Amino acid sequence: SVPVPQETGPTMVGDEHSDPHLMSILGATKRSTLGNNFCEYYVNDAPRVVLDKLESLGYRVVSMTGVGQTLVWCLHRE
């Protein structure tokens, strides 16, 4: 799943266990926030740009929901 803030970026695209090759294709960088014991991948692109890139790689949106101020898309690739 891809949780993203409603702003135009940055967009969180993965966690520390995400595929490094896919994160590289998206141009994501791994970050750790002070106080957290885990890392997350972010890109500076807007969510629309990230979703377009993932679509070109064969991913399709299967669901979407809002969590507070955050939107979360769940994608699948066959």
Side-chain angles (χ1 to χ4, degrees):
S1 60
V2 183
V4 292
Q6 291 180 339
E7 301 92 37
T8 59
T11 302
M12 199 265 272
V13 294
D15 62 21
E16 61 192 355
H17 304 291
S18 296
D19 177 11
H21 180 68
L22 176 60
M23 296 298 105
S24 175
I25 291 171
L26 294 175
T29 56
K30 191 188 274 189
R31 297 187 204 167
S32 179
T33 304
L34 184 63
N36 289 349
N37 60 353
F38 57 88
C39 297
E40 299 167 317
Y41 282 95
Y42 286 87
V43 296
N44 288 326
D45 296 328
R48 172 189 52 79
V49 174
V50 174
L51 292 170
D52 286 348
K53 286 181 182 179
L54 290 167
E55 181 182 34
S56 73
L57 296 170
Y59 288 87
R60 299 289 179 256
V61 174
V62 293
S63 67
M64 183 278 237
T65 190
V67 180
Q69 294 289 326
T70 302
L71 296 176
V72 179
W73 284 275
C74 189
L75 288 82
H76 177 73
R77 185 181 73 182
E78 301 217 10

